[in-house]
Amino acid sequence: QSVLTQPPSVSAAPGQKVTISCSGSSSNIGNNYVSWYQQLPGTAPKLLIYDNNKRPSGIADRFSGSKSGTSATLGITGLQTGDEADYYCGTWDSSLSAGVFGGGTKLTVL
Amino acid sequence: QLQLQESGPGLVKPSETLSLTCTVSGGSISTTSYYWDWIRQPPGKGLEWIGSFYYSGSTYYNPSLKSRVTISVDTSKNQFSLKLSSVTAADTAVYYCARRGVVTTSHDYWGQGILVTVSS
């Protein structure tokens, strides 16, 4: 059971928009920055969003992040078949003094 | 360009100790700006944070693994290492090393990962 809660799967058609939620508590999301990662099959996770809503260099502006209270959301617009991957949220948990991740969400582009 | 590379045995027997090393190139691990983490992913499952090393010598471990984990560093080789004792089949996973920002808490650089199987 992951500390952060994500939906197991989401799907949408090419060109559409999708959002992925990440729910936590005051000890993690509520008081720490949230990051989002994309993991393509057979590869290491790749940083998509850091500090709740910032994109590293080279990440398309189709990807966005937001945070409100103890929840965070990843948004992806203009969906492409190449976006099919597993997406993970992550942050620090101040009570556990440990890094924590969501269970992951599998995105299917229909 | 920073690069991280995991190395170590791909097969470990039950009850033995798993030992992995992460070699960092293109940057120094002796920095105040980053932690150096180990993260694992069992086959078909999600990511699990194992622990961190900070240049000051501080270490932080996942409470669920703390009794079995040791993370150490060799600054002369720009490497950090993971030891996980008394392994079982449940420790079979892809093990990643990664860099994590002190302020951002995000993992911006990852190794490619190494599959470690626990089996007799």
Side-chain angles (χ1 to χ4, degrees):
Chain A
Q1 192 78 354
S2 302
V3 172
L4 306 180
T5 301
Q6 297 181 234
S9 63
V10 296
S11 62
Q16 296 300 303
K17 174 182 177 179
V18 71
T19 60
I20 298 173
S21 61
C22 176
S23 177
S25 68
S26 59
S27 65
N28 42 66
I29 292 178
N31 283 285
N32 292 289
Y33 286 122
V34 176
S35 306
W36 288 92
Y37 305 88
Q38 177 193 59
Q39 186 176 34
L40 297 169
T43 68
K46 174 184 176 181
L47 181 64
L48 277 184
I49 298 289
Y50 69 98
D51 289 3
N52 304 329
N53 56 17
K54 298 177 183 175
R55 284 177 286 105
S57 175
I59 300 300
D61 59 6
R62 300 187 299 106
F63 297 92
S64 64
S66 64
K67 187 181 98 168
S68 178
T70 59
S71 294
T73 301
L74 172 71
I76 311 173
T77 59
L79 277 171
Q80 304 173 0
T81 55
D83 296 331
E84 285 202 334
D86 294 323
Y87 292 84
Y88 293 90
C89 56
T91 187
W92 184 258
D93 191 298
S94 303
S95 294
L96 297 173
S97 290
V100 291
F101 291 99
T105 299
K106 182 176 182 60
L107 169 63
T108 301
V109 181
L110 302 169
Chain B
Q1 177 78 351
L2 191 78
Q3 291 187 319
L4 292 81
Q5 178 70 58
E6 305 88 350
S7 60
L11 181 63
V12 180
K13 289 182 169 56
S15 81
E16 296 190 343
T17 296
L18 178 159
S19 296
L20 297 175
T21 296
C22 180
T23 301
V24 180
S25 58
S28 173
I29 64 172
S30 300
T31 170
T32 60
S33 300
Y34 299 99
Y35 293 95
W36 302 93
D37 287 11
W38 286 99
I39 296 160
R40 70 180 182 178
Q41 184 172 35
K45 296 187 178 181
L47 302 170
E48 180 181 32
W49 180 82
I50 299 172
S52 294
F53 177 88
Y54 188 58
Y55 94 104
S56 64
S58 300
T59 52
Y60 307 85
Y61 300 131
N62 187 322
S64 68
L65 299 170
K66 188 173 184 176
S67 64
R68 299 194 291 130
V69 174
T70 302
I71 295 175
S72 60
V73 67
D74 185 337
T75 54
S76 67
K77 295 181 179 179
N78 221 34
Q79 296 175 333
F80 62 106
S81 299
L82 168 70
K83 290 188 184 298
L84 180 65
S85 64
S86 304
V87 297
T88 69
D91 296 309
T92 293
V94 175
Y95 286 75
Y96 296 101
C97 57
R99 188 180 81 168
R100 175 169 57 93
V102 168
V103 176
T104 73
T105 76
S106 63
H107 294 91
D108 57 353
Y109 285 93
W110 297 66
Q112 65 183 26
I114 182 170
L115 174 61
V116 179
T117 301
V118 178
S119 175
S120 56

